[in-house]
Amino acid sequence: MIELRGVAKAIGGLSLLDGIDLTLRGGEKLAVLGRSGSGKSTLLSILGLLAEQSAGRYLFEGRDIARLRAGRRDALRARTFGFIFQRFCLLPHLNAVENVEVALLHQGVKRRRDKALHALAEVGLEDRTVHRPAQLSGGEQQRVALARALVVEPAVILADEPTGSLDEETGHTMMALMHRLTAQRGTSLVVVTHDPVIVASFDRTIALEKGRLVKA
Amino acid sequence: MNLVDAMRVAWQGTARRRLRTVLTAASLTIGVLTLVVVQSAQSLVHEATLHRAILRNGPATTVRIGLTTQASPQYWRDRAARAVPGADVAVYDSYSSVNLSTRDGDPLSVDLAAVEPSLLRIRPFDVVTGSWFTEARLAPQLVVNRAAGRVMGVARLAAPEGAVTVVVVGVVDDGDPTPHAYLAASDEPALAAAGLRPVGRSLLLSAGSIAPDRLRSIAEIAGRAGDIEELSRVDTVNEFDDQLATQRRIFLAIAILCLVVGSLGILNIGLSALRERTEELALRRALGASRFAIATIMILESQIVALVAAALAIVAAFGAVPWFLAHLTSVPVDSAEPPLSALGLGLSASALAALAGALAPSLRAARVPIANLLR
């Protein structure tokens, strides 16, 4: 589904990624390992079309996305990827259901409220829909973020250390939920993590070191 | 994302920062208020001035032909009516100040004029009480202006050869702050019998369009140019307008400066708020919002601030305009309510100033780097 060929990223002469060749198949669960500064987040940014590579090719279903205009690229990103961030990135002035709706709102989807409520129910937060992020625990906030990622029915979910701000038990519960819900939908899952227990549950693991792929 | 959704997001953004929204709006309100007050005052004073000028001198095309007192009013009335078909013509005889008194009241010194009832077609006095002359003729009739309005009913007019009993049948607003009394021209013989004679005679002529030169040439052809002492247009609207324009320009400059300050406030707050909103904007971009949508949301937020500012300014204007008119102008106005045009101008100026201030922050917001979300 996604193929990176010789992808590199450099900013101001500093190489963040170099010579990355990677293929992500539909429904595949991929874990990305690496120390801080190894290029994991940069790789995720490029995979999720949040950043453009400096060199190399990004093929999405066989098409080179370098040819896409900015607007089409935005639309492709919104349609294809769901994001989960380490810091949750929920909007503090919106309640749980409104936070989930944000993803649908920017894609012009109708009947947003119903879909958002359904997504929250799937992550077990049907009784926390009107609570704002400050009124939710870390695990609950991350589940709202998962609901927000799933509600657009993406082909791929990209999660940057999704358990990094959670305790071990909550983190594992969260990962189990992510696996279950993505497996039900056939959604690909790419997760950056340091946790070896989590890594064990993935189809494939890659490791980065100083911007280069050392294990694929 | 459609416009309604963008407005909803913009509303959430401003409602979330209520204090900042109100403070930002307050800086803009001062400029909008100044503009609304200046525009309202100018409009109301202009309207009042125009109304008073028409009451005192007739509409803009009115011509006053100053005649010698020996000139025949009838001749000139006929002559003018033939020269300018359809024109309103009225003979106006001015007298020296005379004392007018009721049986019990103190005498009041009034400027007396003998006029034809047709004067009302040229100077459309507002009849306050009574009427503008009546058909019944038991005694010479007078109509007085507001300044002489305390005299009503039977009164006595002091004359060199004995007082003349008159009936004051109405009070009018003639736009003049000094006491005036108007006598029906047909009653002039009664005054002449008592030794009161006019000191000046003029013919007022008003039509859609009259060139004074044409009237003069008519007079010369008629061989009676010697009757004419003066011939002029008597409207004073333009003169008042010139005086007002200078005052207006000064206040407009102040208003524009205030708007610029308000606009800079929005710019400043918009740019500084960008830093704390970077994550929100980047997240919206990551979730599918286009750059255009982000800029639209930011601009709509500024327009909500503009709306709040305009609403505050409009409410304040209802108090500020009467104060301004009372303290900074000498022209009495009938109504001190800000006109709709001034309110509309305030709303537009507020929107434009907010737009100008929000443009740079909006463009920057549209370019927020979204890759930073994964750091």
Side-chain angles (χ1 to χ4, degrees), chain A:
Chain A
M1 183 171 60
I2 294 173
E3 193 176 348
L4 303 184
R5 288 186 194 165
V7 163
K9 178 76 176 175
I11 296 176
L14 178 69
S15 174
L16 303 177
L17 281 181
D18 189 22
I20 303 292
D21 292 311
L22 179 68
T23 302
L24 181 71
R25 288 178 288 276
E28 187 178 15
K29 315 294 179 201
L30 177 70
V32 182
L33 294 171
R35 291 181 181 175
S36 295
S38 60
K40 307 185 297 292
S41 297
T42 306
L43 176 63
L44 222 57
S45 297
I46 290 171
L47 270 175
L49 302 178
L50 297 175
E52 285 185 58
Q53 69 272 23
S54 310
R57 296 178 73 193
Y58 183 129
L59 302 173
F60 181 80
E61 291 178 347
R63 283 194 309 164
D64 192 339
I65 59 105
R67 293 178 185 170
L68 291 180
R69 288 183 183 176
R72 294 208 167 210
R73 196 181 154 92
D74 288 343
L76 179 65
R77 177 178 59 241
R79 202 174 56 238
T80 309
F81 300 101
F83 297 95
I84 298 173
F85 309 99
Q86 183 181 351
R87 288 170 288 122
F88 319 134
C89 289
L90 300 178
L91 300 180
H93 59 290
L94 302 181
N95 63 32
V97 72
E98 287 167 342
N99 262 289
V100 177
E101 275 186 71
V102 168
L104 298 167
L105 174 98
H106 290 298
Q107 293 188 42
V109 175
K110 292 180 180 170
R111 298 186 61 221
R112 293 191 289 267
R113 182 54 57 101
D114 291 344
K115 291 180 179 177
L117 286 171
H118 179 70
L120 280 174
E122 280 195 296
V123 298
L125 287 179
E126 58 269 44
D127 56 344
R128 305 291 267 163
T129 55
V130 294
H131 291 79
R132 293 193 174 188
Q135 299 167 311
L136 300 172
S137 68
E140 287 172 329
Q141 288 185 58
Q142 198 59 301
R143 278 194 278 161
V144 174
L146 175 60
R148 184 180 63 193
L150 288 169
V151 77
V152 293
E153 296 173 10
V156 183
I157 284 187
L158 301 173
D160 187 19
E161 300 189 37
T163 59
S165 300
L166 307 176
D167 63 71
E168 193 178 332
E169 189 185 338
T170 310
H172 291 166
T173 308
M174 178 71 198
M175 278 313 304
L177 185 64
M178 282 174 71
H179 275 298
R180 180 168 61 79
L181 293 175
T182 51
Q184 282 173 3
R185 292 167 166 77
T187 307
S188 300
L189 179 65
V190 180
V191 173
V192 168
T193 184
H194 296 287
D195 190 334
V197 178
I198 289 174
V199 169
S201 62
F202 281 78
D203 302 334
R204 188 157 63 105
T205 302
I206 61 169
L208 288 170
E209 195 175 305
K210 293 181 182 174
R212 301 187 73 89
L213 213 53
V214 292
K215 178 190 173 190

